[in-house]
């Protein structure tokens, strides 16, 4: 069996150039990654300082944190899970690899929305699985539909659901998610739900897949809502039948998450006032961008119901989103993500902005881009 090819993550390349420019003295605004500009909650940081002074630490799995996560599902979604169903991981990426490894043998076919997070497609390929991409455009609000899943022939072995989604921020309505679950149940399709952006919603709260399908696997992380990306802490919820398989893979592939992060994560769960303040900032940033981008000619935007992204159609300006984002960075110091990362077919005419930065940086970015986009329109024949 040959080693499968893996596409590059172009936003990382953009970020590398941006950091090089910053080292040369340029003022760079980082909108290329979905990374909160805020740090971990203050009380979580204080707890970490206390642990550093009192605990040598080592390989460890926090039972209190697993129990706290289980209580979160009961309190937030009305779903009862056992702490043993929670597998603590080194962020959402290992949780996703665990989920795929537990459920699918090499050669299995797993469906996903296009556009979608670049690592879905590439992680599937790396594990010798076959991605089955479902084109989702403006008519579908860039999201999966039950009808599209039902139309797949043959039925895939699995389906990746993301709500809120990356790169679009779109949220599946409850009735559509329930319809997708019914189709998957009828066709024997296992669901893996990426819920890393839960808590970051600007319309109705996102629905947890476990409310409709207790056999689904759920990926989540402390990186987004909890503003702890650098702490590398996440989790995977598995049905009881897959606990042993998931634990075996976690132990052999990754051992345990960082002990310090687990101590901090437990405290972070109860820092809701501070965290909701971040959400208010993101909401304000979102409103600023939705108000100021259309006058620049960016008026075909995916509905950013949640997360912290604007996915904009730039097809009237370019057919090469990577070159376009590279030029924007060179000219303005604003780093963004080319749509090519998220959609290998149509992504050449899209770009993604992250508004997880501070409001003053959003305002500065909008000011810099106004004249630049005017010039881009003038250059277009």
């Amino acid at each position: 069996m040959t080693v499968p090819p893996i596409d590059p993550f172009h936003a990382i390349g953009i970020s590398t150039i941006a950091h090089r420019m910053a080292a040369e003295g340029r003022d760079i605004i980082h909108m290329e990654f979905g990374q909160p500009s805020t740090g971990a909650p203050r009380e979580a940081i204080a707890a970490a300082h206390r642990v550093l002074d009192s605990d040598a630490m080592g390989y460890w799995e926090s039972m209190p944190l697993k129990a706290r996560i289980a209580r979160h599902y009961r309190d937030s979604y009305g779903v009862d899970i056992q702490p043993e169903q929670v597998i603590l991981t080194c962020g959402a990426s290992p949780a996703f690899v665990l989920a795929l490894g537990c459920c699918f043998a090499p050669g299995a076919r797993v469906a996903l929305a296009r556009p979608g997070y670049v690592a879905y497609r590439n992680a599937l390929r790396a594990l010798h699985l076959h991605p089955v991409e479902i084109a989702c455009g403006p008519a579908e609000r860039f999201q999966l539909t039950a009808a599209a899943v039902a139309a797949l022939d043959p039925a895939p072995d699995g389906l990746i659901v993301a709500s809120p989604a990356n790169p679009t921020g779109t949220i599946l309505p409850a009735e559509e998610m329930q319809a997708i679950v019914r189709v998957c149940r009828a066709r024997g399709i296992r669901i893996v739900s990426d819920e890393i952006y839960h808590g970051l919603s600007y319309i109705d709260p996102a629905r947890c897949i476990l409310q409709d399908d207790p056999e689904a696997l759920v990926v989540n992380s402390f990186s987004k809502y909890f503003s702890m990306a650098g702490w590398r802490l996440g989790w995977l919820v598995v049905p009881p039948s897959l606990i042993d398989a998931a634990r075996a893979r976690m132990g052999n592939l990754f051992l345990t998450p960082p002990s310090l992060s687990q101590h901090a994560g437990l405290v972070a769960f109860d820092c809701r006032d501070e965290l909701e303040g971040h959400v208010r900032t993101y909401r304000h940033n979102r409103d600023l961008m939705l108000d100021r981008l259309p006058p620049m000619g960016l008026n075909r935007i995916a509905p950013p119901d949640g997360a912290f992204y604007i996915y904009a159609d730039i097809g009237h300006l370019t057919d090469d989103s990577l070159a376009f984002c590279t030029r924007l960075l060179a000219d303005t110091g604003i780093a963004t993500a080319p749509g090519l990362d998220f959609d290998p077919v149509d992504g050449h005419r899209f770009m993604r902005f992250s508004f997880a930065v501070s409001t003053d940086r959003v305002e500065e970015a909008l000011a810099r881009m106004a004249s630049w986009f005017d010039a881009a329109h003038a250059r277009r024949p």
Side-chain angles (χ1 to χ4, degrees):
M1 182 179 291
T2 60
V3 177
I6 301 298
D7 295 329
F9 195 161
H10 296 292
I12 294 177
I14 293 280
S15 190
T16 300
I17 297 170
H19 283 285
R20 186 182 307 132
M21 291 170 60
E24 295 168 353
R26 289 284 300 275
D27 179 35
I28 303 299
I29 302 176
H30 289 282
M31 306 180 84
E32 73 272 35
F33 292 143
Q35 176 172 288
S37 59
T38 51
R42 290 184 294 272
E43 287 301 317
I45 293 173
H49 279 293
R50 291 192 295 271
V51 171
L52 280 172
D53 292 334
S54 61
D55 188 340
M57 293 180 283
Y59 302 130
W60 179 60
E61 185 180 27
S62 172
M63 295 300 115
L65 180 57
K66 289 159 69 80
R68 183 64 184 86
I69 292 171
R71 179 158 69 87
H72 162 69
Y73 282 91
R74 182 172 62 253
D75 295 345
S76 299
Y77 307 111
V79 170
D80 285 320
I81 64 169
Q82 298 304 309
E84 293 76 18
Q85 292 177 247
V86 178
I87 310 299
L88 298 176
T89 62
C90 311
S93 296
F96 185 63
V97 170
L98 290 182
L100 297 178
C102 287
C103 297
F104 308 114
R109 301 167 66 252
V110 180
L112 64 159
R114 177 174 58 77
Y117 180 46
V118 58
Y120 297 156
R121 185 186 325 114
N122 285 325
L124 288 167
R125 288 175 178 162
L127 294 171
H128 297 275
L129 305 172
H130 296 296
V132 179
E133 296 188 323
I134 301 173
C136 303
E140 299 83 24
R141 299 182 72 256
F142 296 91
Q143 260 291 6
L144 295 171
T145 65
V149 178
L152 294 174
D153 186 21
D157 301 284
L159 177 70
I160 298 169
V161 174
S163 176
N166 179 7
T168 61
T170 53
I171 290 177
L172 277 167
E175 59 273 14
E176 192 67 49
M177 181 174 283
Q178 291 165 340
I180 288 171
V181 167
R182 289 194 294 271
V183 169
C184 289
R185 186 176 294 127
R187 306 191 76 195
I189 302 170
R190 171 81 75 171
I191 296 176
V192 177
S193 181
D194 183 352
E195 300 184 0
I196 192 172
Y197 296 103
H198 274 222
L200 303 175
S201 299
Y202 312 110
I203 54 168
D204 295 331
R207 187 171 180 84
C208 178
I209 195 70
L210 297 176
Q211 294 174 267
D212 304 304
D213 182 6
E215 292 300 306
L217 289 83
V218 175
V219 172
N220 211 324
S221 166
F222 284 82
S223 293
K224 309 302 183 182
Y225 175 77
F226 293 96
S227 197
M228 295 175 66
W231 297 73
R232 309 315 305 137
L233 182 63
W235 70 87
L236 174 69
V237 179
V238 299
S241 61
L242 291 177
I243 291 173
D244 290 343
R247 287 187 60 82
R249 283 163 175 79
M250 180 63 198
N252 281 284
L253 295 176
F254 307 110
L255 291 176
T256 64
S259 296
L260 186 65
S261 300
Q262 295 181 67
H263 285 291
L266 179 60
V267 175
F269 252 105
D270 295 311
C271 297
R272 296 291 171 158
D273 288 346
E274 183 176 348
L275 296 170
E276 287 300 311
H278 298 337
V279 177
R280 288 191 292 273
T281 297
Y282 303 146
R283 182 189 299 275
H284 182 60
N285 293 351
R286 168 185 177 268
D287 292 345
L288 279 173
M289 297 195 74
L290 290 178
D291 179 60
R292 302 268 294 277
L293 288 178
M296 300 181 202
L298 302 185
N299 48 22
R300 297 191 298 274
I301 291 172
D305 306 325
F308 27 57
Y309 302 121
I310 297 288
Y311 194 60
D313 189 335
I314 52 173
H316 58 299
L317 297 173
T318 186
D319 59 2
D320 186 345
S321 60
L322 178 57
F324 189 86
C325 291
T326 302
R327 183 169 182 175
L328 174 66
L329 172 61
D331 291 349
T332 69
I334 301 167
T336 56
L340 192 62
D341 273 337
F342 313 102
D343 185 341
V345 177
D346 297 316
H348 59 278
R349 61 183 183 88
F350 286 86
M351 66 186 301
R352 190 197 72 178
F353 304 87
S354 168
F355 53 83
V357 296
S358 61
T359 298
D360 66 309
R361 298 307 273 167
V362 170
E363 291 174 335
E364 173 63 20
L366 290 167
R368 292 185 196 180
M369 287 192 295
S371 59
W372 191 88
F373 273 97
D374 283 345
H377 282 87
R379 289 192 300 266
R380 189 70 173 170

